Amino acid sequence: MTKTSAAYRKKLIEVALPLEAINKAAAREKSIRHGHPSTLHLWWARRPLAAARAVIFAQMVDDPSAHPDLFPTEKKQEKERKRLFKIIEELVRWENTNNEEVLQAARDEIWQSWRHACAANADHPRAKELFDRHTLPAFHDPFAGGGALPLEAQRLGLESYASDLNPVAVLINKAMIEIPPRFAGKPPVNPMVAEQGGLFEREWKGAQGLAEDVRYYGQWMRDEAEKRIGHLYPKVEVTAEMAEERPDLRPYVGEKLTVIAWLWARTVRSPNPAFAHIDVPLASTFMLSTKAGKEAYVEPVIEGQSYRFIVKKGRPTDPVAAKNGTKLARANFACLMSGTPIPGDYVKSEGKAGRMGARLMAIVAEGQRGRVYLAPTSQHEAISREAQPPWKPEGEIASRMTGGNCTPYGLTTWGDLFTDRQLVALTTFSDLVAAAIDRVYRDAVSAGFDDDGKGIDQGGSGAIAYAQAVGVYLAFAVDRTVDRGSTVCSWDNSPKMEALRNTFGRQAIPMVWDFAEGNPFSGSSGNWLNNVEWGAKAIESLPIAAGGHARQSDAMSQDISTGKVVSTDPPYYDNIGYADLSDFFYVWLRRTLRSVLPELFATMAVPKAEELVATAYRHGSREGAESFFLEGMTRAVQRLALQAHPAYPVTIYYAFKQSETGGDDGTTNTGWDTFLAAVIEAGFSISGTWPMRTELANRMIGSGANALASSIVLVCRTREIDAPTATRREFVAALKAELPDALRHLQAGNIAPVDLAQAAIGPGMAVYTQYARVLDAEGLPLTVRAALALINQVLDEALAEQEGDFDADSRWALAWFEQNGFDEGSFGVAEQWSKAKNTSVGGLVEAGIAVAAKGRVRLLKPAELPSDWDPAADTRLTVWEMVHQLVRVLEAYGEGAAATLVAKLGSQAETARELCYRLYTICERKRRTQEAISYNGLVQSWPEIQRLAQEIPVAEIATRPGELF
C-alpha cells in the first residue's frame, strides 16, 4: 500500500491563510528581544516564531472544503475559514506566545482534524501505527538550524524532533525543546532560594526554576572570575589634568569610573621610508559619538617622530576627516605621519607577515548620565598587554566565505580573532562552567534530586543531568560573550546606540580596523551578567507542552521523519555557509562542554563535507557544487516524501531571489532551479505557496546579496502515480488560466513587489508539478529552468493586462516611464504614443503628470508634484498621480500623512496600490533602484496606511488641509 492510499483531506494551508496578520506579527517579532528564544544563542536566518506557528497549525488543520457534510456550501466554508483565521490571528500575536487559552484553542482544532483523519483511515493497513486517535503524530524538522519550527510544533502540543548535521544547531535545539520539558515545574536548587524559603512559597512554572539557577550560578561565575582576572580590567581615574581642556569631565575629577570598552585601531608600519619605524593607525573613523549635542571624537596629535590620541567633545573641526579616520576607501589608508597612501595589498602583506599591531585610541567609561569618552592612558594600554592566555582556539577560518572575511589580512585562525586579554577572560569563564556544574550537582543532591547517574546525553533527569543542563545555558552565556568579545567587534557610534557591536553583524567575519574591547565586568551591553540574563529570560519563555528530542543527523540519510509531520527550512543553495561560520562558536563550546556531550563534540570542527550548500571551493567548480546540491537535496527531500505522515503535506521554506540573466531562458536563478528540481525529482507536487515575511529588514546578510524579505513556503504533497503528461502548449495554457487569479490573490495579501516574482513561482510550479512530465515540441521533458522562464513570462503578461484597470493618461505614463523613466523625450514621439492611448500631450499636462516645452516632454517626479493637491478637487484624476502623490507624502511625512490621502481617495486607492506592482517590475528590469525602493515601500506600508486611514472620522476627511502635505 502506498502513501497516497491514505484518505486525502485538504488542509487549510492548501487553500487560504490570513497572510497579512501572519506577516505583520512576523515583522513585529523581529524587533522583540527580551524573552525571545533567539537570544539564547545566535543563529543565522531564523524563522519568526509567529510564521512557524501559523504554518504548522494550518498544515495540520483541515480546510472546511474537506468536510462537505459539515460545510456543504461555499458560504458556510468561508464562514468556517474566517473562524479558523481568527484563531491564527490570535495565535501569531507575540503577547499570546505562552497564552495557554489561545494555545489550547489551536491544539483543540489540531486534535479535531486528527480524529477526522483517524476515522477516515480506520481501514488503512497501517492504521494502528499511523492513525491512533489517542496520540497526535510527532513533528520533525531535518534542517532544524535555529530551532524555531520544532519549538513551535512543541508549543502546539506535538512531540518534537529536531535534527541537524551541525552540532551547534543540535545543541541550540536541545536547549530549547529537549531540556526544559525534562525539568518542568522543578524549583531551583541554589542555596539562596532555599534560605529564603522560596522553594515552598511560590509555584515554579515551566522552566522558571531552571532559569533562576542559571542566574544564580552565572552570578557566582562572575564573582569568581573577577577575583581571578579583575586586575586586567582596571577602572579609569579622572584627573584634574584631564579636565583642564574638558569641562565636561570636571564633575568626575577624583573619581574612578568603570570602563565599558577600550577602543583600538589596528596598525602597520608606515610605507614611507622616513617613518618606516612607526606603527601608524588603520582607523575607519575617529568619531566616538554622533549624538546631537554630545558628539565626541578622537583627534590624533603628531609630535615629531611620534603621535598620540586625545579625545575632544563637540563637533570636529574637520567632520569628513573625523568620520573617515585614516581610511581612504575599502582597505586603503593614508599614513597619519606623512599622508602617504597605504594600499590594501601592503596592509595584507603586513598582516600575513604578522606585523599588524594595535594602538589604544580611546576609553569609554560609565558616566552619571551616559558614556564618558576619555583619551587612552599608557597604564591601561600596558595592563592590557600583561594578559597571558592559557589557551588559544585552533582551527582555520575558511578563506572563502559568503560576505567576505578577514583571512587576507593575516587573521587566519580562530585564535587570531581575540586579544590576549579577551582570551584570558573567555577561557576563565569557560573553565568556570565546569566548576559551576559541580556546585549545581552538589546543591541539587542537597535539594532532594535523585542521583540516577545519567547525564543529559543519556536522557537523565536527576542531579547530574540537571547540573549539566544549567551548564549548557551557562556555556551559551560564554558564547554570547565570545560574540561580543572578539576583535571583529566595533563601536557603534550612532545616536541611539553608543555600544559594542557583536561579531556577527552579518553572516560573515569581515575585517574590522578599529575594534572595541568590552569589559565583561561592567554594567553595559555585552557584559557577562547581561549575557546570563538574556538567556535566563529566554529559558522562562520556552514551552513544556510536549517532549522534545534533538539529534545530530544528516538530512540525506536520516530516518527520523517516519510517520511524522514535517516542516523544514533547508539551506538556500549558496547563500550562507553555516558550518564555516559556526566554527567560531564550536571551538568554545567544545572546550566548555566536551565532557558533558562527548559525542556531539567529538570532532575538532563542525562537519563540512556533507553540508548541503553549493560552495564551489569545496567541490572544485561551480558545476560540481551545483551537482552536489541537486543530488544531496534530492536525496534529502526524497526521504521526506517517503517518510512523512501521509495525512499531512510537507511544508518547506525557501528564500532565494531570482537573478536577471541575459540568456533566452529569461529571469531565472540556479538556486531556485536546483532546489525546485530536487523537490520535483523527489516525487512531490506543489499544492500551495505562501510568501512569509520572515527576513529582518536589516538582517545579517550583505545588502548586495541575492536575498529576499520573504521566504516562500512551499506546500508539498506526494505526486499521484497516475499524474498526466502535458505538452508545452498545454502547460502554458494552464498557466495563463490560473496564474492571473493567483497573482490577484497574492496582491490582495499585500505581498511586497520585491517578492512578487518569487511568490508567483509557487502557483506556477503547482501547475507544472500536477503533470508527471511536460514535453517540449521535440518530445523532450521541459526543464525546471525553462518552466520558470515561462512562469515569469506569463507573470509579466498578467501584470501588463492589469493596465486595463488604469485610465488612459496613466497607461501612457506607464509606457513612457518604461522607455524614458523621468528623463525627457521627443514631443513628437510622446504625441504619437498619446494617440495610441486615446489621450494627448496637452491632456497629460492638464492632468498634472507631465511637462512639455521646446519640443521635449517628461514626467513629473514625485517631489515636483503640488503640495496642495486635493484629489476631490482634481478634474482629471489619474492613477499615476495618486501613486506619486502617495510616494511623495509617505517619504516626506510618513504613514499618517499618506493615510489622509488614502482616506480622501477612498476605493480608488486600491487601484493605486495595484499600479505599484507594475512600476516596480519595470524599475527592477531597468535597474532603477531608487524608484523601485519607493514603489516597494509604498506597498509594504499599505496595511498601516489603511489602518490609520480607517481611524480618520468621515467628517474630518474633507476638511483636512492638503497644503500640509
Side-chain angles (χ1 to χ4, degrees):
M1 184 72 71
T2 64
K3 271 189 60 179
T4 52
S5 64
Y8 179 92
R9 288 185 183 274
K10 190 168 282 191
K11 300 299 176 182
L12 183 63
I13 200 168
E14 295 175 290
V15 179
L17 283 180
L19 199 59
E20 186 175 320
I22 297 169
N23 285 338
K24 183 178 179 181
R28 183 190 169 211
E29 186 185 319
K30 288 293 185 176
S31 64
I32 302 293
R33 288 294 177 265
H34 290 286
H36 196 285
S38 65
T39 60
L40 265 181
H41 194 287
L42 185 146
W43 189 258
W44 304 269
R46 289 175 184 265
R47 299 304 112 221
L49 307 185
R53 204 177 307 142
V55 167
I56 294 168
F57 173 83
Q59 181 179 352
M60 297 192 70
V61 171
D62 294 343
D63 182 72
S65 64
H67 299 281
D69 52 330
L70 298 173
F71 311 104
T73 66
E74 284 190 19
K75 187 175 180 180
K76 289 187 176 181
Q77 290 173 14
E78 191 57 36
K79 183 179 179 181
E80 176 63 6
R81 281 191 199 104
K82 287 181 179 178
R83 186 186 70 82
L84 294 173
F85 282 6
K86 286 182 180 178
I87 293 175
I88 294 176
E89 287 162 5
E90 288 299 307
L91 191 63
V92 298
R93 293 177 59 207
W94 170 254
E95 294 81 1
N96 290 335
T97 302
N98 286 310
N99 184 323
E100 274 302 310
E101 184 178 344
V102 171
L103 290 170
Q104 192 55 51
R107 293 171 194 149
D108 290 345
E109 292 296 332
I110 290 171
W111 270 101
Q112 182 170 308
S113 291
W114 173 240
R115 292 191 179 108
H116 282 305
C118 292
N121 288 280
D123 296 331
H124 192 282
R126 296 170 61 195
K128 188 174 181 181
E129 172 193 353
L130 292 175
F131 295 98
D132 179 356
R133 69 187 306 272
H134 301 292
T135 306
L136 281 176
F139 172 90
H140 180 223
D141 178 359
F143 294 101
L149 277 60
L151 182 74
E152 293 313 305
Q154 187 181 57
R155 203 184 305 273
L156 289 172
L158 280 69
E159 184 180 13
S160 195
Y161 288 77
S163 63
D164 204 291
L165 183 64
N166 192 311
V168 178
V170 175
L171 188 62
I172 291 171
N173 279 275
K174 277 185 178 292
M176 292 206 304
I177 69 169
E178 189 173 293
I179 292 174
R182 203 180 294 181
F183 302 105
K186 296 282 188 182
V189 302
N190 71 75
M192 181 179 291
V193 173
E195 288 169 8
Q196 295 173 350
L199 289 173
F200 307 103
E201 290 182 1
R202 62 166 285 187
E203 179 185 1
W204 297 89
K205 296 180 180 178
Q208 289 176 342
L210 186 60
E212 193 63 30
D213 276 336
V214 169
R215 289 188 178 97
Y216 176 87
Y217 295 101
Q219 178 70 57
W220 175 82
M221 286 176 63
R222 190 258 183 215
D223 296 342
E224 191 64 27
E226 190 168 33
K227 292 176 190 174
R228 299 183 187 185
I229 62 170
H231 63 282
L232 294 176
Y233 294 89
K235 294 187 175 185
V236 59
E237 183 176 358
V238 180
T239 64
E241 182 183 2
M242 291 180 183
E244 283 183 8
E245 295 184 7
R246 289 273 305 277
D248 61 296
L249 294 181
R250 289 171 188 166
Y252 299 105
V253 171
E255 287 190 36
K256 292 184 177 180
L257 305 180
T258 299
V259 175
I260 293 170
W262 292 266
L263 307 186
W264 300 81
R266 298 192 196 273
T267 61
V268 294
R269 289 294 172 94
S270 172
N272 186 317
F275 300 97
H277 60 292
I278 298 177
D279 290 327
V280 293
L282 308 176
S284 60
T285 182
F286 286 137
M287 289 302 301
L288 301 172
S289 171
T290 59
K291 185 180 292 185
K294 295 187 178 181
E295 294 91 342
Y297 62 98
V298 171
E299 183 171 279
V301 178
I302 299 174
E303 298 174 330
Q305 290 288 303
S306 66
Y307 66 91
R308 62 189 175 92
F309 293 119
I310 61 173
V311 171
K312 290 189 172 183
K313 291 284 287 183
R315 296 189 177 188
T317 53
D318 187 344
V320 175
K323 179 183 177 182
N324 298 332
T326 61
K327 192 173 185 178
L328 300 176
R330 299 176 67 86
N332 300 292
F333 294 82
C335 170
L336 179 66
M337 304 298 293
S338 64
T340 302
I342 306 176
D345 288 343
Y346 177 83
V347 176
K348 291 176 183 177
S349 65
E350 289 294 286
K352 289 176 180 176
R355 292 191 291 269
M356 187 178 285
R359 178 85 175 256
L360 187 61
M361 281 201 308
I363 297 171
V364 188
E366 293 179 358
Q368 296 170 358
R369 294 183 180 178
R371 311 293 190 230
V372 176
Y373 296 95
L374 303 168
T377 70
S378 56
Q379 176 201 18
H380 274 250
E381 189 153 3
I383 288 174
S384 73
R385 302 191 192 282
E386 292 175 4
Q388 298 292 323
W391 179 82
K392 188 175 182 179
E394 299 176 347
E396 298 292 319
I397 301 172
S399 59
R400 296 181 67 181
M401 189 180 290
T402 303
N405 64 17
C406 56
T407 57
Y409 303 97
L411 306 183
T412 57
T413 72
W414 298 113
D416 293 336
L417 298 181
F418 305 91
T419 67
D420 285 346
R421 179 162 58 180
Q422 287 173 331
L423 288 171
V424 168
L426 293 170
T427 52
T428 299
F429 282 113
S430 175
D431 290 340
L432 283 169
V433 171
I437 290 174
D438 289 341
R439 292 179 72 88
V440 178
Y441 170 72
R442 293 195 300 270
D443 293 340
V445 171
S446 298
F449 258 83
D450 292 334
D451 188 5
D452 58 9
K454 294 181 180 179
I456 55 174
D457 60 331
Q458 300 165 308
S461 57
I464 291 177
Y466 184 77
Q468 291 177 342
V470 174
V472 166
Y473 297 115
L474 293 173
F476 279 6
V478 173
D479 266 15
R480 285 188 63 92
T481 308
V482 170
D483 187 34
R484 290 189 182 269
S486 79
T487 62
V488 188
C489 298
S490 58
W491 183 253
D492 187 341
N493 61 20
S494 61
K496 292 184 178 180
M497 295 302 295
E498 290 190 86
L500 199 68
R501 289 189 178 96
N502 64 322
T503 297
F504 289 102
R506 55 192 173 99
Q507 288 103 324
I509 302 179
M511 189 62 180
V512 171
W513 302 108
D514 32 291
F515 62 89
E517 183 185 10
N519 180 357
F521 304 113
S522 72
S524 184
S525 63
N527 76 79
W528 170 255
L529 285 182
N530 270 359
N531 293 332
V532 171
E533 182 59 24
W534 280 104
K537 285 183 177 177
I539 295 165
E540 290 174 331
S541 73
L542 296 172
I544 56 165
H549 315 270
R551 301 179 185 176
Q552 187 176 20
S553 180
D554 186 347
M556 292 183 284
S557 58
Q558 60 83 21
D559 59 1
I560 306 169
S561 295
T562 302
K564 295 183 177 65
V565 180
V566 175
S567 183
T568 191
D569 180 25
Y572 301 156
Y573 192 64
D574 62 352
N575 264 20
I576 303 168
Y578 297 100
D580 288 336
L581 291 171
S582 55
D583 269 342
F584 176 83
F585 294 116
Y586 181 84
V587 292
W588 289 99
L589 287 171
R590 187 173 190 269
R591 183 182 194 275
T592 308
L593 294 176
R594 190 180 178 192
S595 61
V596 173
L597 295 162
E599 289 187 12
L600 192 61
F601 295 106
T603 57
M604 292 296 293
V606 171
K608 296 177 181 63
E610 303 90 350
E611 186 185 27
L612 263 180
V613 290
T615 45
Y617 65 86
R618 285 189 198 160
H619 302 285
S621 67
R622 189 73 180 174
E623 293 74 20
E626 183 177 339
S627 177
F628 170 80
F629 182 84
L630 175 59
E631 292 173 10
M633 189 59 72
T634 301
R635 285 169 54 195
V637 180
Q638 275 177 338
R639 298 199 74 79
L640 301 185
L642 290 170
Q643 297 172 10
H645 199 289
Y648 298 101
V650 169
T651 53
I652 305 175
Y653 293 72
Y654 205 67
F656 203 99
K657 194 178 189 304
Q658 296 186 86
S659 298
E660 292 287 346
T661 57
D664 295 335
D665 285 343
T667 305
T668 56
N669 175 273
T670 304
W672 263 113
D673 296 352
T674 313
F675 174 71
L676 288 169
V679 170
I680 294 163
E681 184 67 25
F684 274 130
S685 64
I686 297 171
S687 58
T689 176
W690 302 98
M692 296 284 179
R693 187 138 309 263
T694 59
E695 310 300 321
L696 188 60
N698 60 337
R699 60 199 179 282
M700 297 186 302
I701 195 162
S703 59
N706 194 16
L708 290 172
S710 296
S711 291
I712 309 304
V713 179
L714 298 177
V715 187
C716 304
R717 287 269 190 182
T718 303
R719 190 164 52 248
E720 297 296 334
I721 56 175
D722 57 352
T725 296
T727 64
R728 182 183 184 278
R729 178 178 293 180
E730 289 170 331
F731 170 54
V732 171
L735 278 178
K736 290 183 175 181
E738 297 185 30
L739 202 55
D741 283 342
L743 173 62
R744 282 188 285 273
H745 183 72
L746 289 169
Q747 290 174 328
N750 207 65
I751 183 172
V754 68
D755 296 332
L756 184 62
Q758 295 304 109
I761 286 176
M765 291 307 295
V767 174
Y768 180 74
T769 57
Q770 72 186 7
Y771 304 112
R773 290 186 305 168
V774 176
L775 303 178
D776 63 18
E778 297 177 359
L780 299 174
L782 192 73
T783 65
V784 171
R785 175 176 285 266
L788 284 173
L790 288 171
I791 291 167
N792 283 315
Q793 288 175 22
V794 175
L795 174 64
D796 280 348
E797 292 171 10
L799 283 169
E801 286 175 5
Q802 289 183 348
E803 292 180 22
D805 296 338
F806 309 141
D807 55 88
D809 292 345
S810 296
R811 291 200 302 275
W812 176 91
L814 258 176
W816 187 264
F817 182 76
E818 184 163 13
Q819 185 69 30
N820 302 296
F822 289 107
D823 295 335
E824 288 184 340
S826 163
F827 182 93
V829 173
E831 185 67 17
Q832 183 180 350
W833 286 15
S834 70
K835 301 305 180 190
K837 301 293 183 182
N838 198 28
T839 182
S840 67
V841 171
L844 296 162
V845 173
E846 180 188 336
I849 64 175
V851 290
K854 298 180 181 179
R856 310 293 288 175
V857 176
R858 68 176 177 85
L859 288 164
L860 288 168
K861 296 178 181 178
E864 297 176 300
L865 296 174
S867 60
D868 59 351
W869 180 71
D870 185 349
D874 194 327
T875 57
R876 190 161 177 153
L877 187 62
T878 66
V879 182
W880 182 270
E881 189 169 17
M882 291 181 206
V883 166
H884 292 88
Q885 283 284 4
L886 283 166
V887 166
R888 179 185 68 81
V889 170
L890 176 64
E891 293 182 348
Y893 304 102
E895 292 171 343
T900 296
L901 283 187
V902 166
K904 289 187 174 187
L905 288 168
S907 60
Q908 298 175 100
E910 194 59 35
T911 311
R913 186 180 70 97
E914 207 173 86
L915 175 56
C916 285
Y917 287 99
R918 182 65 176 147
L919 287 168
Y920 178 86
T921 303
I922 292 170
C923 291
E924 187 177 43
R925 188 182 300 113
K926 297 288 186 177
R927 302 189 185 282
R928 298 172 188 161
T929 305
Q930 193 54 51
E931 288 91 346
I933 290 171
S934 295
Y935 302 131
N936 190 65
L938 178 56
V939 174
Q940 286 190 284
S941 298
W942 200 260
E944 181 62 13
I945 292 172
Q946 275 192 318
R947 185 188 69 79
L948 293 171
Q950 289 168 0
E951 292 178 356
I952 300 173
V954 176
E956 286 186 25
I957 292 173
T959 59
R960 290 205 175 186
E963 60 267 24
L964 289 177
F965 312 128

